[in-house]
Amino acid sequence: MESQLEVWLILALVAASWGQESCDCATNRWTQCEEDESGSCTCTLVGSDRRVDCSTLTSKCFLMKAEMTPSKSKRFHSPSTPLVGNEGLYNPDCEDSGGFKARQCDPSGTCWCVDSAGVRRTEKGDRSLSCGELTRTSCIYVELKHRIARAFEDGEVANALERLLQNRYKLRPEYIAGVKYDAPFIQIRLDQDDSEKSDSDVDIADVAYYFEKDIKNDSVFHANNKLNVSVNGKALDIENIQIYYIDKTPPQFSARRMISGITVVVTVVTLIIIFGVTVLVILKWRRVRNYKRFQIRNGSSQKSNLTL
């Protein structure tokens, strides 16, 4: 009887431990998950009580906020020197829906405006800065480069990446505007307008963020869901990624910054012109000097001949 009781206890412990291991969020490792009495798995974002839908992608804003949350767990990390600007990680202010708030500010009170991808699109100012309505990022270019161990057919690469975007990142095919391949370079264009996107659709900015993290070996997906890109069974070993965001309206950087940049260009061009003119003057002077020397030598030789 005691031996049967021990067996049941062991089985119960095994089942409990298996349930804890299986209770995780496949699409977001920045979560803490618990299984309730009914066996349902509930996952919340690190650093907040926000429930996460693990059947789809988490918004880029929520992910960045979770990544900035210090944690004692070795599973999570926080950068020691967060960056603020057009590139890098910062602690964003998010809407309840998961989108970025149009105005972002750091603890020092410096503020700037961002687009729907969280990319800065204005000069920095103080808390009096007004950003108005959030500007939509309607187009994203993703540029990739793979190791040139082999070249693939253009259509094969396009099909493989389109399947990847649809299956792994839950992106509907109508948002994939095209895939171009010129070995070893690949360009993907994603288009998405507010009028086309429904509440259930993933945002192209979230897709680009997940994809970039995958390529840089810092995947947002759970550890057992690593990226594997293959073309007809052959690995597509991607070694570089660049992402370009295009908004519906152009960025609103100040004229002073533009004038400053133009001034630098004009200064450089002016210096080049001055240097070129100086070189021409020196070369001309040397030619004239050599010509005069030749005339002097030639005149001296003629005088010598006349004397003789």
Side-chain angles (χ1 to χ4, degrees):
M1 184 70 177
E2 292 182 358
S3 60
Q4 290 181 348
L5 181 60
E6 291 176 356
V7 171
W8 279 109
L9 287 173
I10 292 172
L11 291 176
L13 290 172
V14 170
S17 62
W18 180 85
Q20 291 176 354
E21 291 177 357
S22 63
C23 182
D24 54 46
C25 189
T27 59
N28 188 348
R29 66 185 178 92
W30 297 98
T31 53
Q32 294 174 330
C33 302
E34 294 181 354
E35 188 175 345
D36 57 25
E37 296 179 354
S38 64
S40 299
C41 186
T42 302
C43 298
T44 57
L45 269 176
V46 173
S48 71
D49 295 328
R50 296 184 183 276
R51 293 277 296 269
V52 177
D53 182 0
C54 296
S55 66
T56 187
L57 305 188
T58 305
S59 73
K60 180 181 178 180
C61 191
F62 283 165
L63 287 175
M64 289 176 63
K65 198 165 191 67
E67 289 177 83
M68 289 298 299
T69 303
S71 175
K72 297 180 180 179
S73 171
K74 293 182 179 179
R75 183 183 174 189
F76 309 115
H77 67 278
S78 179
S80 57
T81 309
L83 301 176
V84 176
N86 285 349
E87 295 182 358
L89 187 67
Y90 63 92
N91 191 359
D93 290 326
C94 307
E95 301 284 0
D96 291 338
S97 61
F100 288 90
K101 290 188 176 181
R103 191 186 72 167
Q104 300 290 326
C105 298
D106 63 20
S108 69
T110 300
C111 301
W112 61 96
C113 302
V114 300
D115 56 21
S116 61
V119 178
R120 181 165 65 91
R121 51 178 280 110
T122 64
E123 298 286 357
K124 297 178 183 178
D126 56 24
R127 292 192 180 276
S128 64
L129 177 68
S130 177
C131 295
E133 188 178 355
L134 185 71
T135 299
R136 173 72 183 170
T137 298
S138 58
C139 179
I140 294 179
Y141 283 94
V142 181
E143 293 186 350
L144 308 169
K145 180 184 178 183
H146 71 84
R147 289 185 174 85
I148 197 65
R150 61 173 64 88
F152 303 91
E153 293 294 331
D154 191 356
E156 294 176 347
V157 172
N159 291 335
L161 291 174
E162 287 173 3
R163 287 195 302 269
L164 176 74
L165 292 170
Q166 294 174 42
N167 297 334
R168 184 174 179 84
Y169 305 108
K170 317 299 182 184
L171 186 65
R172 286 169 53 183
E174 55 263 39
Y175 299 138
I176 306 173
V179 179
K180 294 183 179 180
Y181 177 56
D182 184 14
F185 301 101
I186 306 167
Q187 186 182 77
I188 303 172
R189 176 174 171 172
L190 307 178
D191 286 347
Q192 188 179 63
D193 199 277
D194 276 335
S195 60
E196 303 170 335
K197 182 180 179 298
S198 67
D199 293 338
S200 60
D201 290 339
V202 296
D203 195 287
I204 56 174
D206 301 338
V207 172
Y209 193 67
Y210 267 78
F211 194 22
E212 182 179 19
K213 289 282 189 179
D214 273 338
I215 299 300
K216 294 182 176 180
N217 294 320
D218 188 23
S219 180
V220 180
F221 289 98
H222 197 265
N224 61 359
N225 192 5
K226 294 183 179 180
L227 178 67
N228 180 20
V229 185
S230 62
V231 179
N232 286 340
K234 298 177 181 178
L236 184 66
D237 193 2
I238 300 172
E239 61 179 355
N240 189 34
I241 181 171
Q242 293 288 337
I243 299 178
Y244 303 92
Y245 302 88
I246 301 176
D247 296 343
K248 292 190 69 174
T249 58
Q252 301 170 355
F253 291 105
S254 68
R256 181 176 61 183
R257 177 175 177 179
M258 295 174 62
I259 292 172
S260 176
I262 293 172
T263 302
V264 171
V265 173
V266 170
T267 302
V268 172
V269 172
T270 303
L271 290 174
I272 291 173
I273 292 173
I274 292 173
F275 176 77
V277 171
T278 303
V279 171
L280 290 174
V281 169
I282 292 173
L283 291 175
K284 184 176 180 180
W285 176 77
R286 291 183 64 180
R287 285 198 300 269
V288 170
R289 187 183 62 175
N290 291 337
Y291 178 71
K292 288 181 178 180
R293 285 181 178 178
F294 172 77
Q295 284 185 324
I296 292 171
R297 288 197 299 270
N298 192 33
S300 300
S301 62
Q302 288 179 354
K303 287 180 181 180
S304 299
N305 291 334
L306 291 172
T307 303
L308 292 175

